[in-house]
Amino acid sequence: MSTTIITMILILITTVTNSQASTLKYPCEPPHHNMYPFCNTTLPIQTRAQSLISHLTLSEKITCLADNNKGIPRLGIPPYQWWSEALHGITANRPGVNFTNGPINAATMFPQVIVTTSSFNRTLWYSIASAIAIEARAMYNVGQAGLTFWAPTINVFRDPRWGRGQETPGEDPRVAGAYAVEFVTAFQGGEVRGDGMRSVRKSRVLSEGGEDELMVSACCKHFSAYDLDSWGNYTRYNFSAIVTEQDMQDTYQLPFRSCIQEAKASCLMCSYNAVNGIPACADKDLLQKARTEWDFKGYITSDCDAVATIYEHHNYTKTPEDAVAIALKAGTDLNCGTYMMRFTQSAIDQRKVVEEDLDKALVNLFMVQLRLGLFNGDPIKGKYGKLGPSDVCSSDHKNLALEAARQGIVLLKNDNKFLPFHKNVVSSLAVIGPMANATSDLGGGYSGIPCSPTSIVEGLKKYVKKTTYTYGCLDVACSSNAGFFEAISISKEADFVIVVAGLDLTQENEEHDRLSLLLPGYQKDLITSIAATSRKPIVLVLTGGGPIDVSFAQGDPRIASIIWVGYPGEAGGTALAEVIFGYHNPGGKLPVTWYPESFTSVPMTNMNMRSDLSNGYPGRTYRFYTGNIVYGFGHGLSYTNYTYNVLSAPNELNVFGSKKTKSYNILQQTEGYSNYLYVDELEEHCDSLRFQVDIRVTNHGPFDGSTVVMLFSRVPGFSKGAPLKQLVEFERVHTVVNSDTKIGIIVDPCEHLSIVNEFGKRILPIGDHTLLLDDAEHIVSIVM
Ligand SMILES: *[C@@H]1O[C@H](CO)[C@@H](O)[C@H](O)[C@H]1NC(C)=O
Ligand SMILES: *[C@@H]1O[C@H](CO)[C@@H](O)[C@H](O)[C@H]1NC(C)=O
Ligand SMILES: *[C@@H]1O[C@H](CO)[C@@H](O)[C@H](O)[C@H]1NC(C)=O
Ligand SMILES: *[C@@H]1O[C@H](CO)[C@@H](O)[C@H](O)[C@H]1NC(C)=O
Ligand SMILES: *[C@@H]1O[C@H](CO)[C@@H](O)[C@H](O)[C@H]1NC(C)=O
Ligand SMILES: *[C@@H]1O[C@H](CO)[C@@H](O)[C@H](O)[C@H]1NC(C)=O
Ligand SMILES: *[C@@H]1O[C@H](CO)[C@@H](O)[C@H](O)[C@H]1NC(C)=O
Ligand SMILES: *[C@@H]1O[C@H](CO)[C@@H](O)[C@H](O)[C@H]1NC(C)=O
């Protein structure tokens, strides 16, 4: 959201105060309680929503299409601001959230999503979202937040330069989908834990009319194929993503399908960009598909002013009224901003919109508000009424923020077991780098006001009293080497040296993609000059969400260890120190490929996932990228030595068993030998094809720890556009020294061994599939 939009909305907040509304805090409080059927909690939600709509005049309906809804005083309905944010904790300064107008002035700031993702721990993802939901309800109860939050961001982290990649669960669409399932289920108050991507086809059925209660509302964003903010001649406001059907089906849509079909998200946000020429908020096929194919029951909001951009940036319509009409008819129910409020009346006058178009949107909006209990009177009397200030920044939540940072930190390099340090052996420590002294900046984009943040320097000081600090570079941009002398001199005097380099929001952010993958400014020079003059090799700590080309450091023996902390949140300084001193054994894994700088010759506007070697296009992500890497997806070291073994898995699966009931469409590919079956037609056989892979993880010492098991698959032979490999399943497991842990992973061939063909159809190739576990391979033949 741009600052001009925020300013516009703030102006609106101050101008729409109404004496009657301001005395009312919640709808359906006395004297309005139960006067209207929409306040009658014994009636079905849909009936209540329709009853409310039946009371509204046309001009009142129009005001309901804006995020900053001014309320309907004559019906006792106070203003409501739809726009609150909670990506990794309650976000400060979004119009629905205010940290200064009540008793709550801070909220737990968990690590940025890319860091939390690196834990590959579903339980952790679920726990964090539960904690944020509690803090959200508590803030709502004291009038400091709304109940509709626009999180999670689940776009695939497709290009390493993207300024918002930090907000996402990484580059693998299945991981992003699994993250969405945990986050949304927990955030909305779901008591049944989703089991991630294992059960997409067996989702819980929402009761008729979408009556399910919501603790708070989550929003899957940004739909769809959005992952460019500013590159070349395009911004997110005027870019049209050209996406093949194959990429759409097996990459861009996958996280959204899980978020809606499996997690039952109550909101979907359409993005600024166009997809294949049609602005997302004007794309009826795209938006309706979510309702018809994924059973979406909720409201669709535009990204902020994304209705205006249909006309103003995409030039997709001739007038603002046409933009409003096409968005409403496509299925956009709410406009973040004021555009619909301003142009709907004239669109109706011009017969481009009819009142029924508004009613359709309003029923979706009111039903979500009703499911949230917004029309049940004073929330203190409701199920979550007891939550208040003491539930925010509680010690449980602060510990969870610490645990998340521990689990997310990734050890990238560790020559000769340089780390961990032994506290008693380190007599003095020098810490260098502007981010080492940061506190609130450790959250990255969409941060809140942290409860009790610890900087990296503070964290380390707890272990080594004699810790000196200097910034080295004045800021992360590091456009001068003026601080180097001081940095080198304190480094020379210290026993051990830790340099904190990398990125912050001045380098990567909303509306700001990077142009280079290298460290900003003189940062590299700072690191190498310190490494060259320090007594011992140094430890390099990297901040930031996007991949950084640190190939210079990979082979440099003077840089013994590299740790990626990303944006570790309010407890990041403490967690990092625990890792460095061996009180926590790192187990995080990169959820995104770290590409070399040469990748920047690839146009960011090229949305193709698949490589095209005929024109030198290298493809994207570990699934398709064919070039050199700095660090791969799933890379992450530990202080202990693990080995992974497949204990048992079938060698052969017969698709039809003995009973082949109808004829199947078996096609011969022209390029290769592989036959395949359409997964759609296999539905009834899928369950019987499921099998378990038993895996043993052995910890050979010398530390207890958690590691992430990742099982990949590769299809047989040659199929056009087949991934090099794809993730079947992941699981974080804990193992103590000199013992092993066994896990069973369920493989659903229809889902995990299938691929999407050029026409967007999911197919299961016949033949030898390969399961990959670390260095081991296991063949499963699928026969008919
Ligand atoms: C609420 O609705 C129920 C079911 O229709 C009805 O029996 C009851 O009288 C209503 N309550 C009020 C206060 O109108
Ligand atoms: C928060 O509320 C206070 C007091 O009502 C007000 O002065 C301030 O402008 C609000 N801040 C935001 C960011 O809305
Ligand atoms: C931007 O547009 C100009 C003019 O059409 C063109 O010459 C230039 O190559 C474009 N830049 C990129 C990065 O595509
Ligand atoms: C997209 O918007 C940017 C910023 O307003 C502008 O510089 C650029 O020319 C626009 N590109 C196109 C293709 O309209
Ligand atoms: C789109 O329309 C705007 C006026 O709203 C105009 O300034 C701009 O040049 C147009 N862009 C294109 C690419 O036609
Ligand atoms: C570290 O941060 C604190 C608090 O922001 C500030 O007072 C101090 O000057 C900073 N130290 C250095 C060396 O920059
Ligand atoms: C890890 O342990 C296995 C089994 O003892 C051994 O073969 C392997 O060399 C060890 N690897 C490392 C890096 O120590
Ligand atoms: C996963 O996260 C949960 C919640 O923090 C934690 O209790 C559990 O130990 C973690 N699992 C592993 C294997 O690290």
Side-chain angles (χ1 to χ4, degrees):
M1 296 93 196
S2 65
T3 43
T4 46
I5 295 167
I6 294 172
T7 321
M8 265 164 48
I9 282 158
L10 290 180
I11 290 166
L12 259 158
I13 291 172
T14 52
T15 52
V16 294
T17 48
N18 174 297
S19 59
Q20 201 183 345
S22 62
T23 59
L24 267 178
K25 259 177 104 181
Y26 305 104
C28 299
E29 282 183 275
H32 298 281
H33 184 62
N34 269 10
M35 247 172 66
Y36 301 105
F38 63 80
C39 292
N40 185 341
T41 55
T42 64
L43 295 172
I45 297 279
Q46 189 151 8
T47 310
R48 294 172 70 191
Q50 272 151 359
S51 145
L52 175 46
I53 292 166
S54 72
H55 282 93
L56 303 181
T57 64
L58 177 60
S59 59
E60 284 167 344
K61 288 179 184 175
I62 291 173
T63 65
C64 292
L65 300 173
D67 66 301
N68 182 34
N69 188 317
K70 67 180 179 182
I72 301 145
R74 68 181 182 89
L75 299 176
I77 300 174
Y80 182 73
Q81 172 54 264
W82 286 84
W83 181 7
S84 293
E85 301 274 359
L87 185 66
H88 55 101
I90 309 295
T91 308
N93 297 330
R94 300 303 150 139
V97 175
N98 191 324
F99 275 103
T100 57
N101 67 345
I104 298 170
N105 50 35
T108 312
M109 187 166 88
F110 293 96
Q112 182 55 290
V113 176
I114 193 84
V115 179
T116 295
T117 304
S118 309
S119 72
F120 285 88
N121 183 342
R122 286 186 171 86
T123 313
L124 177 71
W125 300 344
Y126 185 90
S127 307
I128 289 174
S130 296
I132 301 172
I134 287 171
E135 301 202 352
R137 266 285 168 179
M139 286 189 74
Y140 168 74
N141 286 347
V142 296
Q144 292 188 255
L147 287 177
T148 43
F149 289 82
W150 292 346
T153 300
I154 51 166
N155 299 100
V156 170
F157 195 170
R158 172 193 64 109
D159 191 292
R161 291 161 284 190
W162 188 29
R164 303 187 73 178
Q166 56 174 302
E167 295 176 29
T168 74
E171 74 184 19
D172 184 83
R174 286 180 183 282
V175 174
Y179 178 85
V181 167
E182 298 301 326
F183 186 95
V184 172
T185 306
F187 195 67
Q188 297 196 150
E191 276 152 29
V192 192
R193 260 209 66 204
D195 62 350
M197 56 197 179
R198 276 166 290 186
S199 62
V200 171
R201 288 174 301 107
K202 287 197 169 162
S203 46
R204 189 164 58 97
V205 178
L206 198 71
S207 61
E208 207 53 52
E211 308 257 359
D212 283 13
E213 262 180 41
L214 296 167
M215 182 172 180
V216 273
S217 164
C219 196
C220 320
K221 72 185 188 186
H222 314 75
F223 191 58
S224 190
Y226 163 51
D227 51 31
L228 176 153
D229 270 55
S230 177
W231 190 87
N233 292 328
Y234 294 95
T235 67
R236 59 180 176 170
Y237 306 112
N238 60 15
F239 177 57
S240 176
I242 304 303
V243 183
T244 66
E245 197 51 32
Q246 193 173 29
D247 288 339
M248 200 67 181
Q249 292 312 322
D250 86 345
T251 301
Y252 296 106
Q253 297 295 67
L254 221 60
F256 289 94
R257 187 185 70 166
S258 302
C259 197
I260 289 166
Q261 198 171 50
E262 203 177 343
K264 310 291 177 202
S266 49
C267 166
L268 184 60
M269 178 186 284
C270 50
S271 54
Y272 289 113
N273 59 285
V275 183
N276 295 327
I278 309 175
C281 297
D283 194 338
K284 190 170 184 174
D285 282 352
L286 187 73
L287 302 186
Q288 290 309 316
K289 209 174 140 171
R291 293 198 188 273
T292 56
E293 289 184 18
W294 302 336
D295 200 25
F296 174 57
K297 298 212 167 58
Y299 72 100
I300 299 181
T301 182
S302 74
D303 202 337
C304 290
D305 268 345
V307 178
T309 55
I310 294 171
Y311 167 67
E312 290 175 3
H313 293 267
H314 289 292
N315 294 35
Y316 189 69
T317 59
K318 288 203 166 65
T319 66
E321 286 78 11
D322 288 324
V324 164
I326 200 168
L328 273 172
K329 287 182 194 292
T332 306
D333 301 311
L334 184 76
N335 166 219
C336 175
T338 59
Y339 210 68
M340 277 193 183
M341 213 162 74
R342 286 185 281 140
F343 295 106
T344 299
Q345 184 61 57
S346 47
I348 289 173
D349 297 343
Q350 295 169 20
R351 297 177 200 281
K352 287 172 174 163
V353 168
V354 292
E355 196 163 346
E356 287 71 48
D357 296 327
L358 272 60
D359 292 349
K360 261 199 254 163
L362 295 191
V363 84
N364 292 332
L365 292 168
F366 290 136
M367 277 178 67
V368 168
Q369 290 187 317
L370 285 158
R371 290 168 64 194
L372 286 161
L374 259 164
F375 288 82
N376 294 354
D378 191 334
I380 298 298
K381 297 184 197 117
K383 184 171 169 186
Y384 304 106
K386 288 201 177 69
L387 297 173
S390 64
D391 298 292
V392 181
C393 293
S394 62
S395 56
D396 276 2
H397 291 181
K398 289 194 281 191
N399 285 335
L400 188 60
L402 173 58
E403 183 58 24
R406 286 177 186 138
Q407 292 191 33
I409 289 173
V410 182
L411 180 63
L412 295 173
K413 172 182 177 180
N414 196 24
D415 280 354
N416 307 316
K417 300 182 178 163
F418 188 70
L419 287 176
F421 288 158
H422 297 282
K423 198 167 80 168
N424 302 330
V425 173
V426 181
S427 61
S428 65
L429 201 57
V431 185
I432 317 289
M435 281 293 270
N437 196 31
T439 50
S440 314
D441 290 349
L442 289 181
Y446 286 75
S447 282
I449 313 285
C451 315
S452 35
T454 309
S455 73
I456 290 173
V457 179
E458 282 165 345
L460 292 166
K461 267 189 182 155
K462 286 183 203 146
Y463 294 87
V464 180
K465 260 209 192 91
K466 225 177 135 212
T467 293
T468 51
Y469 169 68
T470 183
Y471 48 82
C473 299
L474 202 53
D475 53 23
V476 168
C478 196
S479 47
S480 149
N481 58 8
F484 284 24
F485 181 78
E486 165 85 6
I488 290 167
S489 73
I490 73 162
S491 300
K492 276 181 178 166
E493 278 157 32
D495 195 5
F496 288 90
V497 181
I498 296 171
V499 179
V500 181
L503 312 174
D504 70 357
L505 296 183
T506 64
Q507 306 300 308
E508 51 170 3
N509 204 351
E510 191 158 1
E511 303 201 76
H512 185 144
D513 297 330
R514 280 181 297 161
L515 291 173
S516 167
L517 299 178
L518 300 173
L519 285 168
Y522 287 93
Q523 282 198 27
K524 178 187 162 193
D525 296 337
L526 176 69
I527 298 162
T528 51
S529 11
I530 289 172
T533 51
S534 58
R535 292 189 205 162
K536 298 193 180 73
I538 66 164
V539 173
L540 173 61
V541 172
L542 297 171
T543 62
I548 307 169
D549 180 350
V550 287
S551 42
F552 76 92
Q554 276 181 310
D556 185 343
R558 296 293 304 169
I559 301 169
S561 302
I562 308 177
I563 300 173
W564 176 76
V565 288
Y567 297 108
E570 65 169 74
T574 305
L576 176 66
E578 287 181 7
V579 167
I580 287 176
F581 289 96
Y583 290 84
H584 181 82
N585 182 2
K589 306 278 178 186
L590 292 180
V592 62
T593 304
W594 283 34
Y595 304 85
E597 176 70 356
S598 59
F599 192 86
T600 56
S601 65
V602 171
M604 202 171 164
T605 43
N606 189 331
M607 299 296 288
N608 292 330
M609 297 301 295
R610 271 88 182 160
S611 63
D612 180 354
L613 298 179
S614 69
N615 65 9
Y617 183 69
R620 294 172 180 279
T621 79
Y622 80 91
R623 292 189 301 147
F624 303 105
Y625 174 69
T626 50
N628 295 328
I629 57 169
V630 178
Y631 289 112
F633 174 88
H635 177 72
L637 306 172
S638 165
Y639 295 150
T640 203
N641 173 14
Y642 296 105
T643 53
Y644 308 85
N645 299 91
V646 173
L647 296 178
S648 72
N651 299 109
E652 189 176 290
L653 293 172
N654 194 315
V655 180
F656 303 115
S658 52
K659 40 185 194 309
K660 187 168 170 180
T661 49
K662 62 176 185 188
S663 65
Y664 288 88
N665 221 352
I666 300 161
L667 294 181
Q668 185 79 37
Q669 292 231 131
T670 46
E671 282 106 337
Y673 68 88
S674 35
N675 292 323
Y676 57 80
L677 298 163
Y678 286 112
V679 169
D680 272 358
E681 298 181 15
L682 275 177
E683 199 66 33
E684 64 196 87
H685 298 276
C686 287
D687 280 349
S688 62
L689 278 176
R690 282 156 80 111
F691 62 89
Q692 180 161 327
V693 181
D694 291 318
I695 288 169
R696 183 177 59 210
V697 180
T698 310
N699 181 342
H700 302 280
F703 290 89
D704 296 350
S706 292
T707 186
V708 181
V709 174
M710 291 185 179
L711 184 68
F712 295 90
S713 68
R714 190 167 57 222
V715 296
F718 174 82
S719 304
K720 197 157 184 205
L724 302 167
K725 61 175 182 178
Q726 60 185 352
L727 189 62
V728 167
E729 184 54 291
F730 60 88
E731 190 165 329
R732 188 178 177 101
V733 296
H734 187 80
T735 304
V736 300
V737 176
N738 292 328
S739 68
D740 57 43
T741 305
K742 293 185 186 72
I743 59 162
I745 284 180
I746 306 291
V747 180
D748 177 347
C750 290
E751 209 182 319
H752 298 133
L753 304 184
S754 63
I755 53 173
V756 170
N757 73 8
E758 286 174 273
F759 309 101
K761 296 285 277 179
R762 196 159 271 284
I763 56 172
L764 179 65
I766 302 300
D768 289 353
H769 290 253
T770 310
L771 295 176
L772 302 104
L773 175 74
D774 202 38
D775 294 333
E777 298 192 352
H778 177 94
I779 304 290
V780 181
S781 301
I782 296 191
V783 300
M784 328 184 284

